[in-house]
């Protein structure tokens, strides 16, 4: 039995969950509404504020879908109650970020500013010129947005310049050494 898949999910107060016959789940909370079409083979039940996910057989595909389905539903519930955040840090001389309305304006050493428009349901905050915070209810969208912003200037291993996650460690390389003469 899947260690993650067999764990029950308790629905907190203030969260409304609807599961249709076609395995479409809709979760509504203080941070918004999320809905997702789950795999039709998985059995998702809601009883007395507890969601359980069961698999129909011991087939390899059903085993792999079991933990995935439970995690997806759990992330939806966490998203509408607490939300998800990713923090990015900008390192480099002259590298900075600023918000212009709903558009993120990045100065990353290119000949032009990089403009990024956030996806619906994702908010971007810039508390300092070298810090970006991505927030939202959908974990996938928050992660994809943060990854896209990081992609504009990935951290390089020599000086560590670029955009990195706050908790990310950049493995540093040693620079050039002087030419050895004999």
């Amino acid at each position: 039995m899947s260690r993650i898949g067999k764990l029950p999910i308790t629905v907190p107060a203030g969260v409304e969950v609807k599961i249709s016959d076609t395995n479409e789940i809709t979760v509504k909370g203080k941070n918004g509404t999320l809905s997702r079409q789950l795999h039709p083979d998985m059995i998702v039940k809601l009883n007395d504020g507890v969601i359980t996910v069961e698999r129909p057989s011991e087939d390899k595909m059903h085993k792999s879908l079991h933990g995935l389905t439970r995690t997806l539903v759990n992330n939806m519930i966490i998203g509408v109650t607490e939300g998800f955040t990713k923090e990015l840090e900008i390192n480099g001389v002259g590298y900075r970020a600023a918000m212009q309305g709903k558009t993120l304006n990045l100065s990353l050493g290119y000949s032009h500013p990089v403009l990024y428009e956030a996806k619906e349901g994702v908010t971007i905050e810039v508390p300092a010129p070298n810090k970006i915070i991505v927030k939202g209810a959908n974990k996938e969208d928050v992660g994809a947005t943060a990854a896209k912003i990081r992609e504009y200037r990935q951290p390089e291993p020599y000086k560590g310049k670029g955009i990195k996650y706050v908790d990310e460690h950049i493995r540093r390389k040693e620079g050039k050494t002087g030419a050895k003469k004999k």
Side-chain angles (χ1 to χ4, degrees):
M1 186 60 101
S2 171
R3 284 178 288 180
I4 293 171
K6 69 182 178 184
L7 296 173
I9 305 166
T10 55
V11 179
V15 175
E16 189 180 309
V17 178
K18 292 179 186 167
I19 303 169
S20 70
D21 297 337
T22 60
N23 260 7
E24 184 169 352
I25 186 165
T26 305
V27 181
K28 187 184 271 186
K30 67 174 184 172
N31 287 352
T33 304
L34 295 175
S35 64
R36 167 174 244 123
Q37 178 65 48
L38 301 173
H39 196 278
D41 290 352
M42 301 313 302
I43 304 161
V44 183
K45 296 178 183 173
L46 174 64
N47 292 328
D48 300 328
V50 176
I51 299 173
T52 54
V53 179
E54 298 170 5
R55 60 180 182 231
S57 71
E58 294 296 311
D59 188 36
K60 186 174 182 179
M61 187 182 81
H62 290 152
K63 283 182 177 181
S64 60
L65 283 171
H66 191 197
L68 170 73
T69 305
R70 190 257 178 210
T71 303
L72 290 174
V73 173
N74 191 42
N75 284 343
M76 289 171 73
I77 290 175
I78 292 170
V80 297
T81 54
E82 302 164 27
F84 293 98
T85 60
K86 286 267 189 188
E87 294 185 30
L88 298 161
E89 190 177 87
I90 302 174
N91 294 325
V93 177
Y95 291 9
R96 63 184 160 273
M99 286 300 292
Q100 293 176 337
K102 291 191 175 195
T103 305
L104 178 68
N105 185 354
L106 298 166
S107 298
L108 299 172
Y110 297 120
S111 61
H112 56 83
V114 178
L115 302 174
Y116 182 76
E117 189 78 33
K119 202 174 183 181
E120 188 69 36
V122 176
T123 58
I124 299 173
E125 297 174 4
V126 182
N130 67 338
K131 194 170 200 117
I132 302 169
I133 300 173
V134 182
K135 293 182 179 181
N138 190 337
K139 189 174 186 178
E140 286 180 55
D141 290 345
V142 169
T145 301
K148 183 68 179 165
I149 293 170
R150 182 184 181 274
E151 201 176 86
Y152 287 125
R153 181 67 91 176
Q154 291 186 5
E156 51 95 17
Y158 297 103
K159 293 183 179 178
K161 291 167 53 173
I163 303 174
K164 70 178 191 80
Y165 297 109
V166 168
D167 56 349
E168 182 180 10
H169 176 72
I170 306 300
R171 289 180 77 194
R172 291 292 181 72
K173 288 183 178 179
E174 193 176 320
K176 290 182 186 177
T177 54
K180 300 202 173 106
K181 295 182 180 179
K182 290 184 180 182

